[in-house]
Amino acid sequence: MDLSTINAILSKFPEIKGNLIATLHEIQNHFHYLPEEELRYLSQKKGIPITQIYSIATFYNRFSLKPKGRHQISVCLGTACHVKGAEKILDELKRQLQVEVGENTDDMNFSLEEVRCVGACSLAPVVVIDEDTHRQVTPKEVGTLLDRYPF
Ligand code: FES
């Protein structure tokens, strides 16, 4: 474990009470997931039961206990996106990234997942990468889209 990194994160929140979620966010942003070792260290250092930390970490789906790529790709397979060819976009992403849904690329730059309706049906088909919503994506655009998220 890189003690300097976790200590730097914890030093941002001297008062952990009321800041546990923000602390977990910082850890997740840095590591792209919540590593067990860092969570145990947080528990010991701040005197928070590990069960309390895990209950928060598993409650919010923005937190992940498994390693994730630097960039999270979510392909919408809701009805509107499905009708407009979302499966073909997903297939193209799988082909170019050489991963299946739920997996990370070997270089850990991308994670691929499917979601059901992100509330942007009029923009279908939609691919969300990190905080960016990409509208009316076509399979041909997939390569260009990925190039916008370098390692
Ligand atoms: S179905 Fe894809 S955004 Fe609603």
Side-chain angles (χ1 to χ4, degrees), residues 28-113:
Q28 166 102 19
N29 285 345
H30 182 83
F31 295 98
H32 308 294
Y33 78 113
L34 298 174
E36 181 181 347
E37 225 179 340
E38 274 71 7
L39 295 187
R40 292 199 175 279
Y41 184 76
L42 164 65
S43 167
Q44 284 171 2
K45 183 114 180 167
K46 297 290 186 178
I48 305 167
I50 191 72
T51 49
Q52 185 183 342
I53 294 172
Y54 271 104
S55 76
I56 292 173
T58 53
F59 181 78
Y60 294 99
N61 59 14
R62 69 183 97 139
F63 293 133
S64 173
L65 296 170
K66 290 195 301 190
K68 291 250 183 183
R70 298 164 73 86
H71 303 291
Q72 179 69 48
I73 303 174
S74 302
V75 180
C76 180
L77 293 182
T79 306
C81 289
H82 173 74
V83 167
K84 299 265 184 151
E87 286 287 352
K88 287 188 176 141
I89 297 163
L90 182 61
D91 288 345
E92 186 60 18
L93 279 162
K94 287 195 226 173
R95 190 184 70 76
Q96 291 200 25
L97 296 173
Q98 296 287 294
V99 294
E100 292 298 320
V101 170
E103 292 180 349
N104 306 316
T105 53
D106 287 343
D107 64 3
M108 293 302 284
N109 197 37
F110 293 106
S111 298
L112 181 63
E113 68 175 27

